[in-house]
Amino acid sequence: MEEYRRIADRVEAAVRDGRLGPGDRLPPQRVFARRHRIANSTAIRVYGELARRGLVVGEVGRGTFVRAAPPLPGSALAEATGAAPVDLQLNYPVAEGQSELMARALAALARPDVLAEAVSGPAAATGTPHAREAAVSVLARPGWAPDPENVLFAGNSRQAIAAALSALVPPGGRLGVEALTYPLVKAVAERLGIRLVPLALDEDGIRPEALAAVHRATPLAALYVQPTLHNPLSTTMGATRRAELAELLRLLDLTAVEDTTWAFLVPDGIADGIAGGIAGASAPPPLAAFAPDRVLLVDSLSKRLAPGLTVGYLAVPGRLRAAVAEALRSGAWTAGGLALAAATRWAADGTVAEAVAAKRADTEARHALVRRHLGGHAVRTSPHAYYCWWELPAPWRAETFAAAAAERAGVAVTPGSAFAVGPGTAPDAIRVGLASPPRAVLDAALARLAALAAEAP
């Protein structure tokens, strides 16, 4: 066994038996190296291994701390819940009357002849002409609509992202991502052997000069970005920044994967400069509208409708259609026949549009609760988002607060380390999911979190 792993094992044993407690700070790496009579490079590897095992978290400008609670199993991939009874980690919105809406299409699918065709086998990555036209009706925004011939289907948005990255980035390749990004992308990249490269952000999203500098230093294979309702920050990139980014993609010969999973919550329309999400503002067209030959857009019905019966969409540049379709097939990421048949009917009969309208109204009601309980805190969000980013008051640290929230307030939240890319970048912030619990439960949970923030760690 390599030396750094043996030392990491000893530190892990100290954590497990209580000699190192939750929130304890490890010494700076140079000090750790001197104490253990190892090279500084070995100490760096020890700290990296401890972080990989989920035992410690690095915080910018503060050091490395023992996690206040063990990492939640599968949280990076599935955003799984913790043990707390109120789960503000999972974020699957359910609109009132949604099941009744969805049942209309499912009733039609129950006919033996229709059902036999739907369950006869997995759907092709390209679906059917009718399915592609229905997908266009879901994905289209003012100022942009995908070419139906370039629409592909996955089982869900996670599989769509995995297929896109697999097609664009070879094992060992570098993928540029926002410095705070969707945890699933971190997990998918690790499984595919892709190296994530964090890119600096401002209030309008990725800074073009940061992308250019990183790529010119060591080329990236692709870029992953969430321009509308960024998860977890809730920011929306304005049209001017999108145009700048599109031009840079052409200049650098880069392809971007644009994740629009949450974008349906922003009202349709064309507007510029809505960084941070302004009430009543509407999003510009997707980045794919500004650089159709350079952007692969992914989306799904998981948030619009329900995760249990959903499909993922990929609107791809024509030059990438064959490669992404092959990635979907080889990864077994294509949509199921029944799910695609149901999704096609839901798009065509107005079910998707009705559910979207209901969820847009629901976000407004839930943000009234956020303002009531967290209005005096440093909370970054958009009135259209189903989550908010809470920069915690001192002396709270994110890991400590998340553990205390579960143990003392009975509420599960996600610490900022789940979204941070790279060691030593975890902010003292948490993401609070607003979508899953009933509003009355959310109301009480936010009140308990606000009370906890006023207490001592």
Side-chain angles (χ1 to χ4, degrees):
M1 182 186 294
E2 294 184 68
E3 182 181 20
Y4 81 93
R5 288 201 177 99
R6 288 195 297 269
I7 297 172
D9 287 343
R10 294 201 294 269
V11 176
E12 179 173 359
V15 172
R16 300 299 183 195
D17 65 21
R19 285 176 286 147
L20 282 174
D24 283 354
R25 181 177 178 176
L26 298 188
Q29 291 172 0
R30 291 181 181 275
V31 175
F32 186 91
R34 288 198 299 270
R35 290 180 182 174
H36 291 267
R37 298 181 180 179
I38 57 177
N40 286 337
S41 60
T42 303
I44 292 171
R45 297 187 74 182
V46 171
Y47 278 46
E49 177 66 13
L50 293 172
R52 188 191 68 79
R53 297 182 188 182
L55 297 170
V56 302
V57 60
E59 298 181 6
V60 178
R62 302 185 66 176
T64 302
F65 297 85
V66 176
R67 291 181 68 113
L72 299 174
S75 60
L77 180 61
E79 296 184 3
T81 69
V86 179
D87 192 337
L88 301 188
Q89 292 182 305
L90 277 176
N91 225 10
Y92 292 118
V94 177
E96 186 175 350
Q98 175 178 300
S99 297
E100 290 76 11
L101 282 174
M102 296 171 64
R104 296 183 307 200
L106 294 182
L109 288 174
R111 284 174 38 196
D113 57 329
V114 177
L115 185 62
E117 182 178 355
V119 301
S120 60
T126 54
T128 65
H130 185 38
R132 292 194 296 273
E133 290 291 346
V136 168
S137 72
V138 172
L139 298 175
R141 305 281 293 200
W144 177 82
D147 180 348
E149 292 304 309
N150 291 332
V151 173
L152 302 173
F153 299 94
N156 52 44
S157 63
R158 297 167 181 171
Q159 294 175 350
I161 291 170
L165 297 186
S166 178
L168 292 175
V169 187
R174 288 159 51 89
L175 175 69
V177 296
E178 292 127 329
L180 294 170
T181 194
Y182 180 28
L184 165 80
V185 173
K186 297 166 62 176
V188 170
E190 183 177 0
R191 290 181 181 274
L192 295 178
I194 293 171
R195 296 176 58 195
L196 296 185
V197 181
L199 300 171
L201 300 170
D202 60 19
E203 292 299 315
D204 210 17
I206 286 179
R207 293 165 48 192
E209 68 275 14
L211 171 59
V214 165
H215 181 72
R216 286 168 177 154
T218 306
L220 300 170
L223 173 70
Y224 168 85
V225 62
Q226 306 168 86
T228 303
L229 292 187
H230 174 277
N231 182 10
L233 298 179
S234 303
T235 53
T236 290
M237 184 183 294
T240 299
R241 177 63 59 86
R242 294 182 194 224
E244 293 171 349
L245 190 56
E247 181 59 30
L248 190 55
L249 291 174
R250 297 187 188 97
L251 180 64
L252 301 178
D253 193 22
L254 271 176
T255 299
V257 176
E258 178 182 13
D259 187 345
T260 61
T261 302
W262 288 107
F264 74 92
L265 290 169
V266 181
D268 291 335
I270 300 176
D272 191 8
I274 61 168
I278 299 172
S282 44
L287 184 62
F290 293 83
D293 59 331
R294 288 290 167 187
V295 177
L296 190 163
L297 182 144
V298 298
D299 208 324
S300 83
L301 290 183
S302 295
K303 311 301 185 184
R304 287 177 174 86
L305 291 177
L309 190 59
T310 186
V311 298
Y313 302 115
L314 301 97
V316 305
R319 63 186 175 85
L320 295 175
R321 184 173 181 270
V324 177
E326 176 56 30
L328 286 164
R329 288 190 291 268
S330 62
W333 292 320
T334 54
L338 178 61
L340 185 56
T344 300
R345 289 175 179 269
W346 285 326
D349 70 5
T351 296
V352 173
E354 287 186 57
V356 165
K359 290 177 180 180
R360 287 177 178 173
D362 185 50
T363 59
E364 295 180 9
R366 290 173 186 264
H367 274 279
L369 303 179
V370 173
R371 291 191 296 272
R372 178 189 304 169
H373 298 295
L374 305 182
H377 293 271
V379 173
R380 179 185 297 189
T381 189
S382 159
H384 308 303
Y386 265 123
Y387 37 85
C388 61
W389 183 248
W390 184 2
E391 296 174 356
L392 296 167
W396 282 107
R397 296 197 301 271
E399 295 288 340
T400 307
F401 187 88
E407 295 165 6
R408 292 156 55 182
V411 181
V413 294
T414 309
S417 58
F419 303 91
V421 179
T425 59
D428 283 330
I430 60 169
R431 191 196 73 168
V432 180
L434 307 175
S436 296
R439 289 180 201 164
V441 175
L442 177 64
D443 190 13
L446 292 175
R448 293 201 296 273
L449 290 178
L452 178 63
E455 300 176 6

